[in-house]
Amino acid sequence: MSYFTLMSSSTYLEPIQEVTFAMIQMSCGPSLEANRQKAVTRIRIAAEQGAQVMILQELFASQYFCFTEDHVHFGLAESIPGPSTGIFSELAAELGIVIVASLFEKRAQGLYHNTAVVFDANGEMLGIYRKMHIPDDPGYYEKFYFTPGDLGYRVFLTRYGKIGVLICWDQWYPEAARLTALKGANVLVYPTAIGWDSSQDSETNEQQHQAWHIIQRSHAVANGIPVLSVNRVGIEGEIRFWGKSFACNAFGKVLCQASDSQEEIMIQAIDYSQSDHCRIHWPFLRDRRIDSYQSITKRFLDDES
Amino acid sequence: MSYFTLMSSSTYLEPIQEVTFAMIQMSCGPSLEANRQKAVTRIRIAAEQGAQVMILQELFASQYFCFTEDHVHFGLAESIPGPSTGIFSELAAELGIVIVASLFEKRAQGLYHNTAVVFDANGEMLGIYRKMHIPDDPGYYEKFYFTPGDLGYRVFLTRYGKIGVLICWDQWYPEAARLTALKGANVLVYPTAIGWDSSQDSETNEQQHQAWHIIQRSHAVANGIPVLSVNRVGIEGEIRFWGKSFACNAFGKVLCQASDSQEEIMIQAIDYSQSDHCRIHWPFLRDRRIDSYQSITKRFLDDES
């Protein structure tokens, strides 16, 4: 069975419209092996419950090492293909599921990326997306580790739809969501690792969560496609990762949301066909003024008024 | 007093940081003269309460005539400068306030725009913005009346800050907000006319309102600037305009929101200096991948995968 189900070469059937996703929100310990095993176990559980596409959180194989700049952490990286991709390729084929796995990629000596790998339901590694927008803030020193992606925005045609993959900090950029949507994504998925500093008050925490929630739901609204965000949970050093993984439909309506402190396997059916309805009732794509967007490739427009 | 307060030619003082806005949410009747008078009265009340910048809803001078395609409605348009601009120019000078007024512009015979005019606090007409994104849906036949704007995105340096003006349907386009923000806007304002069809159920109404709310708050988050949206209220034909004018701060936090059925003069202090804080703590502008956004000027990217 492929995305476009063909009865014969002369008969075209509609693409798959409803797909069941699993959003695997977990905490991570110091052992790569234990984290990988935890992810595998949860994927097996999700598959038993009927999930067809598995989304793991950002850098699920390790703790979030970017809380400090330490050369020793480069030892956590792996090649692609490598140990993790072998495991997930076999698992995808065995269970007949799609997997999106976020890895710390060692591309060459001294060249590392924050990379998501997409495995199709026959085990094929369809390709990778390298995180384009790299943050650097106290507790999130990612620019030290990751070279910004050089593959642009990508969608992956899987057995269960055309999946657009972006990673964490990308979520704050409407440009990234738009460009991925314009490539025909049925859905946007964001493996994520975001948390609260332990010194912060609860009002600040809530505002930060709200901003994160709003910006991602807005990508659904602006582009008329569902959005799924999968965040890690648990306390690592000074950071409490806030979980709250969620899915919203093509009009930004929240369909499900995980807790801020528990590991969860959240299973959610996503109806791709709603995009048809949204996009003809709220025809934003029809009216884009593409003749007027050129300056979005500029840093700032202080010379124009 | 100007935006940049100068003690002498050699002394630079900080720009104004806190400005009080009035968001004038009103219903409109069939008489242009009565609607204009209502707006003037409300602006006077708001000025007495300390408001410095007045935002009127979209096409405040008339009922929302775009509910049908009728050539007779072109008679509602006016030239710029014209009757309305004369009134608001005098009023701005008299009260020492900034006014953003949305008008149906007759630019030439057979050439009409949906246009916002900005008056500085000395009465000067600083310029106009012509709505770039024009909708056309049942009940909102704007493409029949308005030629899409040809002035691009604009900010207006007023006595009370650099005001970025966009109009209604523009609010669904992250590109429009981004480009206006990159021109150095301290704040984005959206005169708006959006409502519920009387045949809709309340769940649909709520989802539509939520999408509208989210997309505009997301522009605040993405760009680190406050956003104000001023919507009309009242029943006109089959449409119930839903009001709910609101302001949010530079991190998308809602500061105030009007009702869905009452006329209101909502007065809100806006702190421009919060953008400094937001933009260094959530440095999205720093990390934009401007090398990767070129294709945003394309209609769709179906030839790329």
Side-chain angles (χ1 to χ4, degrees):
Chain A
M1 189 170 67
S2 70
Y3 177 57
F4 291 96
T5 305
L6 295 174
M7 283 182 66
S8 76
S9 60
S10 61
T11 309
Y12 172 79
L13 291 184
E14 284 297 301
I16 287 169
Q17 299 292 21
E18 185 165 293
V19 171
T20 303
F21 283 75
M23 310 167 71
I24 296 173
Q25 169 174 308
M26 54 184 236
S27 63
C28 295
S31 160
L32 295 184
E33 181 49 33
N35 295 325
R36 277 197 205 105
Q37 195 48 55
K38 187 187 258 192
V40 167
T41 301
R42 280 158 172 68
I43 286 173
R44 288 188 180 280
I45 294 169
E48 280 171 18
Q49 294 179 22
Q52 296 162 310
V53 182
M54 315 290 173
I55 314 294
L56 296 169
Q57 70 208 26
E58 187 182 17
L59 301 169
F60 74 94
S62 68
Q63 290 189 311
Y64 184 73
F65 53 85
C66 313
F67 74 93
T68 186
E69 298 193 357
D70 189 337
H71 297 94
V72 77
H73 290 154
F74 286 98
L76 296 169
E78 57 182 301
S79 60
I80 295 176
S84 288
T85 62
I87 292 168
F88 290 109
S89 177
E90 284 181 27
L91 191 65
E94 178 196 335
L95 301 175
I97 51 157
V98 170
I99 301 175
V100 179
S102 159
L103 300 174
F104 182 14
E105 177 191 6
K106 181 174 182 176
R107 184 177 180 182
Q109 290 169 316
L111 186 55
Y112 296 77
H113 295 283
N114 187 326
T115 300
V117 190
V118 179
F119 303 91
D120 205 356
N122 61 0
E124 184 190 350
M125 197 179 98
L126 283 179
I128 62 175
Y129 166 75
R130 294 191 176 117
K131 187 172 179 176
M132 290 289 284
H133 300 88
I134 306 294
D136 195 287
D137 300 294
Y140 301 83
Y141 300 105
E142 294 199 15
K143 289 192 197 297
F144 176 71
Y145 297 100
F146 309 127
T147 292
D150 59 348
L151 298 175
Y153 308 97
R154 304 208 61 196
V155 293
F156 302 90
L157 181 57
T158 73
R159 182 182 296 178
Y160 296 115
K162 214 171 199 178
I163 299 178
V165 180
L166 293 161
I167 302 173
C168 204
W169 195 239
D170 291 325
Q171 66 213 172
W172 302 98
Y173 295 86
E175 294 93 339
R178 178 70 93 202
L179 286 161
T180 308
L182 291 183
K183 290 193 171 186
N186 292 122
V187 59
L188 297 182
V189 302
Y190 288 90
T192 291
I194 190 167
W196 294 310
D197 189 279
S198 58
S199 67
Q200 280 176 187
D201 61 66
S202 62
E203 187 185 335
T204 303
N205 289 353
E206 178 54 21
Q207 283 187 36
Q208 292 182 358
H209 170 254
Q210 277 299 313
W212 177 83
H213 202 60
I214 288 164
I215 194 75
Q216 292 178 94
R217 290 172 68 191
S218 81
H219 304 326
V221 173
N223 297 292
I225 48 174
V227 170
L228 282 70
S229 184
V230 182
N231 190 25
R232 82 170 49 206
V233 77
I235 296 168
E236 298 180 22
E238 298 301 305
I239 305 177
R240 179 180 157 194
F241 291 95
W242 73 45
K244 289 184 183 279
S245 303
F246 74 96
C248 66
N249 74 7
F251 205 46
K253 181 186 177 185
V254 176
L255 301 172
C256 61
Q257 180 174 291
S259 79
D260 67 3
S261 56
Q262 301 298 310
E263 298 191 316
E264 296 190 34
I265 301 169
M266 196 160 56
I267 295 191
Q268 178 65 51
I270 298 292
D271 182 359
Y272 294 155
S273 73
Q274 285 186 336
S275 296
D276 255 343
H277 182 86
C278 282
R279 287 183 177 178
I280 62 173
H281 284 77
W282 297 86
F284 308 140
L285 293 191
R286 181 192 64 190
D287 295 335
R288 292 179 70 237
R289 288 293 305 274
I290 56 174
D291 60 309
S292 72
Y293 299 155
Q294 183 57 47
S295 293
I296 225 156
T297 59
K298 299 286 176 63
R299 186 62 69 201
F300 204 63
L301 302 171
D302 29 9
D303 52 345
E304 303 178 26
S305 64
Chain B
M1 187 173 65
S2 71
Y3 177 57
F4 292 95
T5 307
L6 295 173
M7 284 183 66
S8 76
S9 60
S10 62
T11 307
Y12 171 79
L13 291 183
E14 285 297 303
I16 287 169
Q17 299 291 22
E18 187 166 291
V19 170
T20 303
F21 283 75
M23 309 167 72
I24 297 172
Q25 169 175 308
M26 56 185 235
S27 63
C28 294
S31 159
L32 295 184
E33 180 50 35
N35 296 325
R36 277 198 205 104
Q37 195 48 55
K38 186 186 257 192
V40 167
T41 302
R42 280 158 172 68
I43 286 172
R44 288 188 179 281
I45 293 169
E48 279 170 20
Q49 295 178 24
Q52 297 162 310
V53 182
M54 314 292 173
I55 315 293
L56 297 169
Q57 70 208 24
E58 187 182 17
L59 302 169
F60 74 93
S62 67
Q63 290 189 312
Y64 184 72
F65 53 85
C66 313
F67 74 94
T68 187
E69 298 194 357
D70 188 337
H71 297 96
V72 76
H73 291 153
F74 286 98
L76 296 168
E78 57 182 301
S79 61
I80 296 176
S84 288
T85 63
I87 292 168
F88 290 110
S89 177
E90 283 180 28
L91 191 65
E94 178 196 335
L95 301 174
I97 51 156
V98 169
I99 302 174
V100 179
S102 159
L103 299 175
F104 183 15
E105 178 191 5
K106 181 174 183 176
R107 185 177 179 182
Q109 289 167 314
L111 186 56
Y112 295 77
H113 295 282
N114 187 327
T115 301
V117 190
V118 180
F119 302 91
D120 205 357
N122 62 1
E124 184 190 352
M125 197 179 96
L126 283 179
I128 62 174
Y129 165 75
R130 293 189 177 120
K131 187 173 180 175
M132 290 289 283
H133 300 88
I134 306 295
D136 195 287
D137 299 294
Y140 301 84
Y141 301 103
E142 295 199 15
K143 288 193 198 296
F144 176 71
Y145 296 101
F146 310 127
T147 293
D150 59 348
L151 298 174
Y153 307 97
R154 304 208 61 195
V155 294
F156 301 91
L157 182 57
T158 73
R159 182 183 294 177
Y160 298 114
K162 213 172 200 176
I163 299 178
V165 180
L166 293 161
I167 302 173
C168 203
W169 195 240
D170 291 325
Q171 66 212 172
W172 302 98
Y173 295 85
E175 294 93 340
R178 178 71 92 200
L179 286 162
T180 309
L182 292 182
K183 291 194 170 185
N186 292 122
V187 60
L188 298 182
V189 303
Y190 289 90
T192 291
I194 190 168
W196 294 310
D197 189 278
S198 58
S199 67
Q200 282 176 185
D201 61 67
S202 62
E203 186 185 335
T204 303
N205 289 353
E206 177 55 20
Q207 282 187 37
Q208 292 182 356
H209 171 254
Q210 277 298 312
W212 177 83
H213 202 60
I214 288 165
I215 195 73
Q216 293 178 92
R217 291 172 68 192
S218 82
H219 304 326
V221 173
N223 297 292
I225 48 174
V227 170
L228 283 71
S229 184
V230 182
N231 190 25
R232 82 170 47 206
V233 76
I235 296 168
E236 299 181 21
E238 297 302 305
I239 305 178
R240 180 179 157 194
F241 291 96
W242 73 46
K244 289 185 182 278
S245 303
F246 75 96
C248 66
N249 74 7
F251 204 47
K253 182 186 176 185
V254 176
L255 302 172
C256 60
Q257 181 175 290
S259 79
D260 67 3
S261 55
Q262 300 298 309
E263 298 191 315
E264 295 190 35
I265 301 168
M266 196 161 54
I267 296 190
Q268 179 64 50
I270 298 291
D271 183 0
Y272 295 155
S273 73
Q274 285 186 337
S275 295
D276 255 344
H277 181 87
C278 282
R279 287 183 177 177
I280 62 174
H281 284 76
W282 296 85
F284 308 139
L285 292 192
R286 180 192 66 189
D287 296 335
R288 291 179 70 238
R289 288 294 305 274
I290 55 174
D291 60 309
S292 72
Y293 299 156
Q294 183 58 47
S295 293
I296 226 157
T297 59
K298 300 286 175 61
R299 185 62 67 200
F300 205 62
L301 302 170
D302 29 10
D303 51 344
E304 303 178 26
S305 63

